[in-house]
DNA sequence: GACCAATAATTGGTTGACCAAATATACGGG
DNA sequence: CCCGTATATTTGGTCAACCAATTATTGGTC
């Protein structure tokens, strides 16, 4: 009841503007590839200020939905109505990701990273991964928290995969992952040695160019948190 | 030579500001969880206008790197230096994705969607996928382009996976995928019937709750474009 | 010293005016 | 009618001033 009241009040003007831009596109008033009306016109039409329209446009620009040309106008991406609709829906539903979906997706991306790292790593990649592993080990041996070092180890593997889209997607979900891990206290104490050995195993398989084994070891490494996420899902 | 000249001139002020904010964080001037200096102070310090600082902050906010509290200040996410550094690097390297990485990653996400759709689909999901397939078929039968209908079919499968993170990531790469497909003229004519039959096969396996088969059929469905991307990579 | 209320200062959000670049229009000549 | 040039208009980008909310400071009381 009170929660419903709060939710209505938290609705953001920028999101309302995005909804209205979506309607313009859905109604066929503006087609993919065409220009939006000028900012001033949109502000007038939506009954808001120009700076709010700009904020909405900036947000949609980051998602590839709009493309602004200075002193010229703002064009809707020519990617088709279905893609536009799906993306705008996604923009408006941000921060509604459940923890289980986050973890499952992380597992998928990490497995693929490990597999591709085994396929494509260079000597320099191996050096970087080893360095990250060494830093992780130093923390674990001292019984200190090693979240940063753990994450760096995973990032170095993603870099060794030579798939920068994969790495981007991993980085994009990282804030929510880390925030949820902290909130839910996922990284308990006492499992550092086990995780360290799993890291070593994964690295060995990457060095030896064994993609399937690396992928399996990565999955095993993340199995606990996956099971945890099933229980804690909300 | 001339290209190098152009590149320097195209460097965006917002990105330069982001680089400077990154330095503040890397140098330990600002730690994760702490407040940035006020916008006016940053503008003065960086020798730019406040509206440019705001644009940079807005962008970093969308990535979960910063969190702005009205009339209070802007806090750096407490997700650790490694995550922050990785994310800021990613923000600054936008639009440098090679086509092969894009397609490989798409294949990975689509396979998982099909697999999870087979595991978790509801009757309503099946209805939606069938509807999308029917629309696709109508276009193929007429020999018309069916990019929109194809994409909608894939989106409906992602929805049936019940993993909204997976769906978000698929949407996020879609603009670049579609743009590259258009640019490289990936969707030639003449393969509509084959693709239609592959869609039908995938749907059958989702209906029958056969996750491994659905995943394999999806991979097979996307094999051509994957091979194409290896040749066209740049 | 701790606590509270009032006031002042600071902060991000917003506005209208101005600026520089792009586009549209008008005009003259062939 | 077409083309080129000059001018006017429009557009997104930027700025300083203002606004509303938050935080810090001040002064009084116990």
């Amino acid at each position: 009841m009170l929660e419903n009241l709060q939710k209505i009040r938290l609705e953001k003007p920028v999101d309302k503007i995005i909804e209205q831009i979506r309607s313009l596109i859905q109604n066929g008033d503006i087609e993919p590839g065409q220009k939006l009306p000028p900012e001033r016109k949109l502000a007038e039409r939506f009954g808001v200020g120009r700076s709010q329209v700009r904020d909405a446009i900036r947000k949609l620009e980051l998602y590839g939905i709009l493309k602004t040309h200075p002193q010229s106008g703002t064009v809707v991406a020519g990617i088709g109505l279905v893609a536009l609709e799906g993306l705008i829906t996604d923009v408006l539903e941000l921060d509604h990701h459940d923890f289980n979906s986050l973890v499952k997706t992380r597992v998928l991306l990490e497995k693929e990273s490990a597999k591709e790292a085994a396929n494509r790593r260079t000597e320099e990649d191996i050096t970087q991964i080893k360095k990250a592993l060494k830093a992780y080990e130093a923390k674990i041996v001292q019984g200190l928290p090693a979240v940063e070092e753990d994450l760096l180890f995973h990032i170095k593997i993603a870099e060794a995969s030579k798939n920068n889209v994969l790495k981007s997607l991993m980085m994009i979900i990282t804030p929510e992952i880390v925030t949820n891990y902290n909130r839910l206290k996922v990284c308990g104490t006492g499992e550092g040695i086990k995780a360290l050995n799993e890291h070593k195993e994964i690295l060995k398989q990457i060095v030896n160019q064994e993609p399937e084994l690396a992928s399996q070891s990565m999955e095993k490494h993340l199995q606990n948190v996956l099971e945890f996420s099933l229980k804690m899902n909300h």
Side-chain angles (χ1 to χ4, degrees), chain A:
Chain A
M1 182 64 188
L2 193 61
E3 188 175 291
N4 284 340
L5 280 182
Q6 210 174 7
K7 277 186 178 172
I8 292 170
R9 281 165 52 184
L10 286 175
E11 222 173 42
K12 302 175 185 172
V14 168
D15 286 350
K16 297 298 301 183
I17 294 167
I18 289 170
E19 279 172 2
Q20 303 233 35
I21 292 172
R22 170 167 42 179
S23 296
L24 286 182
I25 296 169
Q26 280 180 337
N27 293 342
D29 293 322
I30 310 291
E31 304 196 337
Q34 282 189 344
K35 273 192 199 173
L36 277 189
E39 294 176 353
R40 290 175 180 88
K41 288 282 171 55
L42 288 177
E44 191 182 317
R45 181 167 173 167
F46 299 156
V48 296
R50 198 177 141 210
S51 50
Q52 282 142 313
V53 171
R54 292 179 56 76
D55 280 349
I57 285 172
R58 282 283 179 273
K59 193 170 181 177
L60 295 176
E61 206 172 7
L62 268 183
Y63 276 81
I65 293 164
L66 301 180
K67 171 70 178 167
T68 296
H69 300 283
Q71 275 74 51
S72 177
T74 299
V75 183
V76 177
I79 57 177
L81 285 170
V82 173
L84 289 170
E85 175 59 26
L87 268 168
I88 295 175
T89 300
D90 206 58
V91 171
L92 292 174
E93 287 177 1
L94 268 185
D95 296 330
H96 286 66
H97 295 142
D98 64 281
F99 186 52
N100 181 241
S101 293
L102 271 169
V103 175
K104 269 183 171 176
T105 306
R106 181 184 171 208
V107 172
L108 178 73
L109 298 175
E110 293 268 8
K111 281 168 62 184
E112 183 70 13
S113 283
K115 178 177 162 188
E116 284 294 285
N119 281 327
R120 308 179 81 176
R121 91 288 182 281
T122 62
E123 291 303 318
E124 176 59 24
D125 291 323
I126 293 172
T127 301
Q128 293 292 321
I129 302 173
K130 276 184 179 171
K131 192 168 156 193
L133 181 57
K134 201 176 190 76
Y136 180 70
E137 181 169 21
K139 282 294 180 77
I140 295 295
V141 164
Q142 296 176 59
L144 295 176
V147 179
E148 293 280 89
E149 291 77 15
D150 178 64
L151 180 56
L152 189 61
F153 176 77
H154 289 270
I155 288 173
K156 291 303 175 185
I157 292 174
E159 284 170 4
S161 77
K162 304 296 191 300
N163 182 334
N164 61 358
V165 178
L166 196 54
K167 188 192 165 202
S168 285
L169 297 187
M170 280 175 62
M171 293 316 312
I172 285 171
I173 65 173
T174 294
E176 270 185 277
I177 293 277
V178 173
T179 302
N180 274 283
Y181 277 33
N182 289 339
R183 181 172 63 94
L184 299 171
K185 306 194 202 298
V186 170
C187 301
T189 55
E191 302 220 325
I193 297 292
K194 177 169 175 271
L196 176 63
N197 288 330
E198 283 165 350
H199 278 194
K200 285 178 174 176
E201 191 72 13
I202 291 162
L203 173 59
K204 191 182 78 177
Q205 286 151 1
I206 287 169
V207 170
N208 292 342
Q209 296 182 315
E210 300 168 311
E212 298 305 328
L213 290 179
S215 179
Q216 282 166 29
S217 294
M218 182 62 85
E219 184 173 24
K220 184 180 163 202
H221 174 50
L222 297 169
Q223 190 63 23
N224 284 352
V225 67
L226 184 59
E227 284 163 9
F228 184 84
S229 75
L230 281 170
K231 289 184 235 161
M232 298 299 301
N233 204 21
H234 62 285

